[in-house]
Amino acid sequence: MAKENEHSFYEMRWKTLAVLALSLVIIGLDNTILNVAIPTLQEEFDASASSLQWMVDSYLLVFAGLLLVFGTLGDRLGRKRALQAGVSIFGLASLGALVADSAGQVIAVRALMGVGAAMIMPATLSIIANVFPPDERGKAIGIWAALAAVGIGLGPLAGGLLLEWFDWSSVFLVNVPFALAALLLGIRYVPESRDPRPGRFDLTGAALSTAGFSVLVYAVIEAPNDGWLSGTVLGLLGVAVALLASFIWWERRTPEPMLDLGFFRNARFSVGTAAVSVAFFALLGGIFALTQYLQFAHGYSAVEAGAIMSPMALGLVMGAGSSNRAVRRLGAARVVTAGLTGLALLFGLTLFWSADMGAGLLLAWFFGLALSMGWVMAPATDAVVGAVPAARSGVASAMNTVARMVSGALGVAVVGSLV
């Protein structure tokens, strides 16, 4: 009887991971799928350059600003509850594309989707940390890491194909069936968990972190347009530094902090967070530039450019999947180092690219890039989550995701300025 119960629990947690995967894919898609629809949206709404930018960036701004707060609330109020609420908000906001008839309304829809995503992302990782035992957690996080990023690779191709067949709203409505399936299956297959001793909610810390990360991301978004040394951007960066410094000061002194800064004294937590940050800075900044290279230097259409980049999806799955076995043989530090080295070498090779470079070489390059990325993401994320108590996994996973989002936004801004 005990063996039957153990087998049933084993099957249950992998079904839980499958449900979480549905939520992760749509979040990944929404990081890149809208980029190929920008020309269509400009024509549809006669939108200004600023409006087009905020159609993309409103999602990122809200997502990054609320992550830490929602990760903490998930630990306190229930991670399943946070996941279900986030999926519901994300799906309903996507349906809003059916009634949006102005650029401002599209921006509002994207911002509301960012609220849902900020609830979903930390909840998925913290649920894994609480459902899987330590000996299986690396494998589960490897799958999580692959699915969390696979949408980034599929986004341009999916967006291009949808726009070939349907109108602009299709890049939003594609989320709805995934969200509905995740919501219904989550009722049955996702267990509830929470911090048994959450203490008092750190309202001051929540306000300072939300304001600080929001202003920081806003400054990064505006920098390519206004200039990094403009008064506006320098002022915003100064405000962001002041707010985040105040947040750190407060968290060190309050008896019940939202984010335990002692986590950063653990090398696994701090180095893992740094590795994820560097990798996403390179990946999202690189994709921003390379999408333009494929379309402007090569003359590929949006669909063709997406097809050239599609091996990233397979590379991420294979890289994250194989990283768990590599960690058992070599150790997490060596695997992450190998992944970062691979990223550096592959981006270095772009110095030798030309406008007539063959499609086969491009396909192989994007596959190799994603394979290297998988070797960074999964072990580094496992190190971050494994360095904190399971009861605080929500805030740890939120911190991991904040690092990814802010670094990715900074990568796009810096590379965009250089381009």
Side-chain angles (χ1 to χ4, degrees):
M1 188 70 177
K3 286 187 176 179
E4 286 182 8
N5 289 337
E6 184 180 345
H7 179 71
S8 175
F9 180 69
Y10 180 82
E11 284 190 341
M12 180 70 173
R13 58 180 176 260
W14 290 105
K15 289 177 180 176
T16 300
L17 183 59
V19 174
L20 301 180
L22 290 172
S23 307
L24 290 169
V25 169
I26 55 175
I27 291 178
L29 280 173
D30 263 82
N31 280 317
T32 54
I33 195 171
L34 194 67
N35 292 332
V36 296
I38 289 299
T40 306
L41 289 164
Q42 183 175 28
E43 184 178 342
E44 179 76 20
F45 297 114
D46 192 25
S48 66
S50 176
S51 294
L52 292 171
Q53 179 184 0
W54 281 107
M55 287 180 192
V56 176
D57 291 334
S58 57
Y59 174 82
L60 175 65
L61 181 67
V62 174
F63 190 3
L66 294 176
L67 268 167
L68 207 55
V69 174
F70 283 153
T72 304
L73 288 175
D75 281 343
R76 297 175 63 85
L77 303 178
R79 299 174 183 108
K80 176 178 179 177
R81 186 176 297 175
L83 176 67
Q84 296 288 80
V87 169
S88 301
I89 291 170
F90 198 93
L92 289 171
S94 300
L95 274 176
L98 289 174
V99 296
D101 59 3
S102 69
Q105 290 177 7
V106 173
I107 292 169
V109 165
R110 287 280 292 172
L112 193 56
M113 289 168 69
V115 174
M119 291 182 175
I120 294 168
M121 199 69 178
T124 57
L125 188 53
S126 56
I127 287 169
I128 289 172
N130 282 270
V131 167
F132 285 88
D135 61 319
E136 290 180 350
R137 194 183 60 221
K139 182 179 179 181
I141 288 179
I143 296 170
W144 176 92
L147 293 169
V150 74
I152 295 172
L154 290 178
L157 177 60
L161 290 172
L162 287 169
L163 291 171
E164 285 282 322
W165 299 329
F166 308 105
D167 69 5
W168 67 270
S169 64
S170 62
V171 299
F172 291 88
L173 298 178
V174 69
N175 299 321
V176 176
F178 287 99
L180 183 61
L183 186 65
L184 295 177
L185 291 171
I187 294 172
R188 179 173 181 181
Y189 292 116
V190 177
E192 184 60 282
S193 63
R194 57 173 59 87
D195 185 348
R197 292 183 296 275
R200 189 178 63 181
F201 181 63
D202 180 13
L203 187 60
T204 302
L208 288 170
S209 70
T210 300
F213 284 119
S214 296
V215 174
L216 176 61
V217 172
Y218 182 76
V220 167
I221 289 169
E222 289 296 304
N225 291 332
D226 295 350
W228 287 93
L229 299 178
S230 68
T232 301
V233 171
L234 289 176
L236 288 168
L237 289 173
V239 171
V241 168
L243 286 168
L244 292 174
S246 299
F247 171 64
I248 293 170
W249 177 86
W250 174 259
E251 296 299 278
R252 290 179 65 184
R253 282 158 180 77
T254 186
E256 295 178 317
M258 185 174 71
L259 175 63
D260 185 353
L261 297 177
F263 292 162
F264 288 95
R265 288 195 290 271
N266 186 313
R268 295 182 68 206
F269 186 90
S270 55
V271 175
T273 301
V276 167
S277 301
V278 169
F280 267 82
F281 178 94
L283 180 71
L284 294 188
I287 287 177
F288 176 81
L290 292 168
T291 302
Q292 296 182 60
Y293 162 79
L294 293 173
Q295 291 182 308
F296 297 139
H298 269 274
Y300 289 134
S301 67
V303 174
E304 290 169 337
I308 290 290
M309 297 169 70
S310 61
M312 290 181 64
L314 178 62
L316 284 163
V317 171
M318 291 182 65
S322 64
S323 68
N324 187 49
R325 293 190 298 273
V327 166
R328 287 201 297 267
R329 290 184 180 182
L330 304 172
R334 289 178 179 174
V335 173
V336 172
T337 300
L340 289 171
T341 303
L343 286 175
L345 290 173
L346 286 163
F347 277 120
L349 287 176
T350 61
L351 292 171
F352 304 102
W353 284 14
S354 62
D356 58 354
M357 185 173 172
L361 289 173
L362 289 170
L363 290 166
W365 186 91
F366 278 108
F367 175 79
L369 183 77
L371 197 69
S372 298
M373 189 70 187
W375 272 41
V376 178
M377 278 184 61
T381 301
D382 186 31
V384 170
V385 174
V388 303
R392 303 298 310 278
S393 57
V395 70
S397 59
M399 190 65 229
N400 179 63
T401 309
V402 167
R404 289 170 51 182
M405 298 302 296
V406 173
S407 299
L410 189 60
V412 171
V414 170
V415 173
S417 298
L418 292 172
V419 170

